[in-house]
Amino acid sequence: MHAHPSPPRRGPPAHSDRQANAPLNRPSALNSGGWRGETEVILVPETVVINENLDVAGPAGTVAGAERSAADWQATISGEAWAFCNAFVAWTEASLGEVRVDYSPKSYIGIRRGRRVWAPLWPRKDGAFVYLPDPDGLHGEQQSPAMDAFQERLREDGLETNWQPTYNAGANPVSIRLRQTDLDKPSVQDLLRATFEILGPGATPWSELHADLLTDKDLPVVAASPAHEPG
């Protein structure tokens, strides 16, 4: 009697269904104590300006974690924006006093009076948005009497201000878009001077110093006390 040979045993497939469906063994950001970026792809955004008429000065910023320098700013914003920043600093030092230029922020150039950022300059194509303290030193939702008066003067020169009560925790609520030629306008110079001086020690609010320049609509509304009736 001859035994028939057994069919050859087949080993398991190289990749079973169970193995194919098993999750990849990748490090977990939650379980490993921190993200290591070993297998992930990092995307670094960059602003691409298609419309040349847009009011932007240049690329959005540098690599995350890096501080800017003066050379970085000059290389990434327009020539007009860079010229405005230099003219702004030059006029301030000649007319108001000493300031320090802080180039390290990623989104604006900080013009400091002492330790305080007096005028952050957010570069635009031919100038900058400037955020200033209130001339009366006011923080809050309502614009100050001083800014009511300045707003009228600036409008006559074709300029608009906006009240931004949340900018820099309310410390720089006055927003205005300026170009280099605007620095020659008396209304702009007076606004810059008033916002610079209010940061001085013991400074008096502009409205108290210039009450004669305020109109009735600029004056703060004071609730009238009820008349006392003799008993």
Side-chain angles (χ1 to χ4, degrees):
M1 185 177 185
H2 299 281
H4 295 284
S6 301
R9 293 186 61 184
R10 295 181 180 178
H15 298 283
S16 65
D17 292 341
R18 183 178 178 182
Q19 290 174 318
N21 296 328
L24 294 176
N25 185 19
R26 291 179 177 175
S28 167
L30 295 178
N31 297 330
S32 62
W35 177 77
R36 293 185 174 85
E38 295 172 352
T39 58
E40 290 79 359
V41 176
I42 301 174
L43 301 179
V44 179
E46 180 179 352
T47 301
V48 178
V49 179
I50 302 300
N51 186 348
E52 295 296 336
N53 294 321
L54 290 178
D55 186 20
V56 295
T62 56
V63 177
E67 291 187 348
R68 281 183 181 266
S69 65
D72 293 329
W73 279 107
Q74 185 175 11
T76 55
I77 65 178
S78 69
E80 286 179 286
W82 181 247
F84 169 83
C85 294
N86 289 330
F88 187 96
V89 173
W91 182 88
T92 299
E93 291 184 329
S95 305
L96 303 181
E98 183 180 357
V99 293
R100 180 171 66 86
V101 184
D102 182 4
Y103 295 104
S104 64
K106 298 177 179 62
S107 301
Y108 64 86
I109 297 172
I111 312 301
R112 292 179 173 270
R113 181 181 182 183
R115 299 179 61 184
R116 168 76 182 274
V117 179
W118 161 58
L121 308 180
W122 291 69
R124 291 298 182 264
K125 190 174 181 180
D126 57 352
F129 263 106
V130 187
Y131 291 84
L132 300 164
D134 176 62
D136 282 343
L138 185 67
H139 293 209
E141 294 295 327
Q142 185 173 355
Q143 182 169 281
S144 70
M147 278 313 303
D148 289 340
F150 274 111
Q151 199 168 51
E152 292 299 321
R153 290 186 60 194
L154 291 162
R155 280 176 178 165
E156 293 175 1
D157 287 332
L159 298 170
E160 282 289 340
T161 63
N162 289 295
W163 185 258
Q164 304 287 341
T166 60
Y167 185 88
N168 193 18
N172 294 64
V174 179
S175 144
I176 185 169
R177 170 75 161 85
L178 295 176
R179 297 170 176 82
Q180 187 169 344
T181 54
D182 294 327
L183 297 175
D184 296 327
K185 298 176 180 178
S187 61
V188 172
Q189 294 178 358
D190 289 347
L191 174 65
L192 296 178
R193 180 173 290 105
T195 60
F196 188 87
E197 291 177 349
I198 196 62
L199 299 184
T204 302
W206 186 90
S207 294
E208 294 183 20
L209 295 174
H210 303 279
D212 57 316
L213 300 179
L214 300 178
T215 63
D216 290 341
K217 66 184 181 63
D218 295 329
L219 296 172
V221 177
V222 178
S225 302
H228 176 70
E229 297 181 1

